[in-house]
Amino acid sequence: MDYKNLEELIEVIRRLRAPDGCPWDREQTHSSLRPNMIEEAYEAVDAIDDNDMPHLREELGDVLLQVLLHSQIAKEEGAFDIEDVAKELKDKLIHRHPHVFGNAHITTADGVVDAWDRLKAEEKKHRKSAMDGISRSQAALISAQKISKKAVKTGFEWPNEESLYDCIYSEFEEFKQAEKEGDKAHMEEEFGDILFATVNLARWNKIDAEQALLKANKKFEMRFRKMEELAVKPLNEYSFEEFDNLWKQAKSEIAKCNKV
């Protein structure tokens, strides 16, 4: 397989970072590029959600650019280079897929995940807590899901779904009590508990809470835009009842379009 373009791309990045290269690229550091890494990853996810392959190809290139820039900066600092990154990833993938590259016999996706987690734990023996390894920079819902899954692996789990519902209902009651007290700090705490409990409900049902909320956001935005199209006067002049009817009309119109 020919990797000519990849090799040339690595050389382009090196050239951009050279003393006579691009002033902007030469000024960049791991810290200054941090927002770009997050932004490019999200843009790639948007392309996946839109099933837009040309756009995904472009955005994956932008993600790769971040990987190559960080690797080049690290090389200049004497820490590592892109070859080290590739080798470490290759070795990790081979080690965590013994059913492909070794003699292990695993035939189900769940079995693969269990083996991956077990092998990962063996590699990370220095970790003292089940909570170690959770990114502090990821979205709160994603973090909540990961925290919950890690806790469950230790056996810390609700005995059944009904007990989980009881927990959720109790968190709402505690929020109501904090609201009656007018204690904003307590309200914030209890609201966080509501969100965390509902994330566990999603996990219990094998639903990705982050993706579920993203879809809900998209659905609401789509319906609101349709409301704006259907409105016969400024929205701020609508009563609650009029808003409700307009919302239902928008929902119906979108449903009709989706059936066509």
Side-chain angles (χ1 to χ4, degrees), residues 43-172:
E43 289 180 1
V45 170
D46 285 344
I48 292 171
D49 290 342
D50 294 338
N51 195 30
D52 186 337
M53 292 302 102
H55 189 202
L56 178 58
R57 180 180 59 205
E58 176 189 356
E59 296 304 335
L60 288 176
D62 290 342
V63 172
L64 179 58
L65 170 60
Q66 298 307 307
V67 174
L68 294 177
L69 275 171
H70 282 285
S71 298
Q72 179 61 32
I73 293 170
K75 181 179 181 180
E76 294 162 10
E77 296 172 345
F80 60 83
D81 61 16
I82 189 63
E83 181 66 15
D84 296 321
V85 173
K87 182 181 184 306
E88 185 165 329
L89 176 58
K90 178 202 69 176
D91 291 346
K92 179 167 65 176
L93 288 174
I94 291 173
H95 181 245
R96 294 190 189 175
H97 290 82
H99 53 293
V100 177
F101 302 103
N103 299 319
H105 183 67
I106 305 173
T107 58
T108 66
D110 287 342
V112 171
V113 172
D114 290 341
W116 178 282
D117 290 340
R118 184 180 67 256
L119 291 167
K120 183 176 180 180
E122 291 174 2
E123 295 168 8
K124 309 289 184 180
K125 289 181 179 178
H126 60 281
R127 291 180 175 174
K128 305 299 182 183
S129 168
M131 295 293 120
D132 288 347
I134 298 173
S135 171
R136 299 185 302 275
S137 303
Q138 63 191 357
L141 275 180
I142 297 174
S143 183
Q145 289 181 130
K146 197 156 190 177
I147 289 170
S148 176
K149 288 177 181 178
K150 280 179 171 283
V152 167
K153 286 177 182 177
T154 70
F156 190 71
E157 174 69 296
W158 281 270
N160 50 57
E161 190 174 12
E162 192 58 37
S163 63
L164 176 50
Y165 273 112
D166 290 341
C167 173
I168 294 171
Y169 296 147
S170 70
E171 298 298 353
F172 274 102

